[in-house]
Amino acid sequence: MTYQEVLAAARTCSGPYCKACPVCNGKACGSTMPGPGSKGTGTVAVRNYQAWQEICLNMDTICENGPVDTKFNFFGQEYDLPVFAGPVGAVNLHYGDKYNDLEYNNILVPACAQAGIAAFTGDGTNPEVFTAAAAAIGANGGKGIPTVKPWDRDTLYAKLDAAKASGAKVFAMDIDAAGLPFLKGLNPPAGSKTVAELREIIEYVKVPFIIKGIMTVKGAQKALEAGAAGIVVSNHGGRVQDGVPATASVLPAIAQAVKGQMVVLVDGGIRTGVDVCKALALGADACILARPYVTAVYGGQAEGVKVLTDKLKSELQDTMAMCGVHSLSEISGDMIFRG
């Protein structure tokens, strides 16, 4: 399959909200929730995408002509490129009833591992979703990151115990999910966590723990204080709060504040290998793409995941070569045009 064929196939089974657009820029889905859109005015997802388009790179081809290495080491696991599939829950509600969460993760997790990357998997009100996703990760050599919602203490610990037993090696919490409309008023409850509460959770699991949903330097410093091994600069694709800045806009200051002390990932509107290169030049260690991987699964299952991943890798390699760098460690802020 080609990427265009994956998109065309996805259009036959996505919806009614997701249109599997040629460019996933947030415009067609707007404020559709349920659906893949963003909260309130629906402009944050659009802003995320647009911010990457407004960042320009400096070309430099007066350099040694050699192969480009995109390999990325993540807590002892080596991947072919610094890209992860993002955690998505309730796919049948938001993207179409072709798959439920268990079926989706059972395709996504091994497909990502076979394609040379890994998936952050989602969580939901159905307790089987998180447990099954963690089991899929364990069955694929621990390549994947189960991502838990900020539930109450008892629910959290039960879910984390199940994930550890399955063989997952890194965990994450999308703490900003406290603002998801679908989680409000539910039992078990979900909500914000203090630094002390996060520290207790992180000390309990005893594996690298990533806090997703960081949008300020202060938030990154709190995550560091709690003992997090990494953060994801993320506004949850605009789905938890309207009127916030793009992730690309806040990434440089956050990365500068905590770089070298923890792993810094970023999501939100990243759609190409060119965008990945820009994110790394702004200080990220790796990127997460969520919506595009949903489309890849709906449009081509495991083959769709490979097609999208190969596309991203090719674009990243080409961009690095044209900017005069041949390894991820050579990517720097000097590659960003500051005109």
Side-chain angles (χ1 to χ4, degrees), residues 38-328:
S38 49
K39 196 173 181 179
T41 61
T43 55
V44 175
V46 177
R47 186 177 301 124
N48 279 342
Y49 171 82
Q50 192 57 38
W52 297 110
Q53 309 317 304
E54 293 171 1
I55 295 167
C56 295
L57 292 166
N58 292 318
M59 285 198 309
D60 180 8
T61 53
I62 303 179
C63 60
E64 185 176 339
N65 183 21
V68 171
D69 183 6
T70 62
K71 286 188 173 58
F72 173 65
N73 190 285
F74 186 72
F75 299 111
Q77 296 272 17
E78 187 174 83
Y79 297 108
D80 286 351
L81 66 163
V83 166
F84 296 90
V88 179
V91 292
N92 54 324
L93 175 66
H94 301 301
Y95 291 92
D97 60 8
K98 181 176 182 178
Y99 300 113
N100 60 35
D101 286 354
L102 278 72
E103 295 164 336
Y104 174 78
N105 286 325
N106 282 337
I107 295 170
L108 180 70
V109 171
C112 283
Q114 291 161 15
I117 63 169
F120 281 70
T121 56
D123 189 11
T125 54
N126 178 358
E128 292 182 15
V129 171
F130 186 82
T131 303
I137 289 168
N140 285 274
K143 292 192 171 182
I145 305 92
T147 307
V148 70
K149 300 295 184 195
W151 306 110
D152 66 291
R153 187 181 187 277
D154 290 345
T155 305
L156 264 173
Y157 281 34
K159 284 176 177 273
L160 294 172
D161 284 344
K164 283 186 73 172
S166 74
K169 303 179 189 307
V170 182
F171 295 163
M173 175 188 288
D174 51 348
I175 197 161
D176 56 346
L180 278 173
F182 314 105
L183 294 187
K184 292 188 175 181
L186 291 180
N187 186 23
S192 303
K193 298 283 180 272
T194 66
V195 169
E197 288 171 327
L198 285 173
R199 187 184 299 115
E200 182 183 358
I201 293 163
I202 292 167
E203 289 175 353
Y204 177 80
V205 296
K206 295 182 176 62
V207 297
F209 199 91
I210 296 168
I211 303 295
K212 179 177 175 291
I214 302 299
M215 285 294 289
T216 64
V217 169
K218 185 177 180 180
Q221 291 168 336
K222 287 181 183 180
L224 186 62
E225 183 185 350
I231 56 172
V232 183
V233 177
S234 173
N235 53 33
H236 215 101
R239 296 173 65 76
V240 296
Q241 179 58 53
D242 197 8
V244 296
T247 53
S249 301
V250 301
L251 171 62
I254 293 172
Q256 185 175 18
V258 298
K259 189 82 168 179
Q261 301 174 79
M262 62 196 329
V263 173
V264 178
L265 297 92
V266 63
D267 70 7
I270 297 165
R271 297 294 178 258
T272 67
V274 179
D275 296 339
V276 172
C277 191
K278 292 175 183 178
L280 269 56
L282 291 176
D285 294 301
C287 299
I288 299 175
L289 290 79
R291 292 174 175 97
Y293 274 99
V294 179
T295 301
V297 170
Y298 273 70
Q301 300 184 320
E303 185 178 358
V305 170
K306 180 173 175 20
V307 167
L308 174 58
T309 305
D310 288 349
K311 172 180 175 290
L312 293 167
K313 183 178 181 180
S314 176
E315 291 165 346
L316 176 59
Q317 288 176 321
D318 186 55
T319 302
M320 289 170 63
M322 292 301 294
C323 291
V325 299
H326 298 84
S327 68
L328 300 183

